[in-house]
Amino acid sequence: MTVFVTYFAILREQRGLNREQIETRASTYRDFYGELQERHGFTLKVDLIKAADRGEFVDLDSTISEGADIVFIPPVAGG
């Protein structure tokens, strides 16, 4: 299936892109992040990130649908 993913912070730095369209066989957001780790060498463990789809937070074990617009949100420090 085709999905869109937007990267922020360390994930954007490690990928070298802000956004891309990807073909995936993953059925859950957790599995999809695992695919991205393998493809792009992401160093953050899945348990440290949050996921959102179309502007709504989702459980990492929820099912991804065709055309999903996913954002993986790494931990953010603020001041």
Side-chain angles (χ1 to χ4, degrees):
M1 91 179 91
T2 302
V3 299
F4 301 88
V5 62
T6 302
Y7 303 107
F8 291 104
I10 191 170
L11 299 177
R12 181 178 57 216
E13 291 171 17
Q14 290 178 346
R15 178 61 184 109
L17 289 174
N18 293 329
R19 183 171 169 81
E20 66 182 329
Q21 178 178 327
I22 295 181
E23 290 293 320
T24 182
R25 292 180 181 221
S27 59
T28 67
Y29 298 92
R30 181 181 303 277
D31 292 343
F32 181 49
Y33 184 76
E35 276 187 17
L36 294 175
Q37 281 183 299
E38 288 180 23
R39 286 184 193 187
H40 306 312
F42 292 159
T43 57
L44 284 177
K45 295 181 186 215
V46 70
D47 295 332
L48 296 177
I49 63 157
K50 302 284 185 196
D53 188 352
R54 295 179 183 94
E56 299 287 327
F57 283 105
V58 293
D59 185 282
L60 289 172
D61 294 315
S62 297
T63 302
I64 299 174
S65 59
E66 174 72 31
D69 192 356
I70 302 165
V71 177
F72 288 112
I73 304 161
V76 179

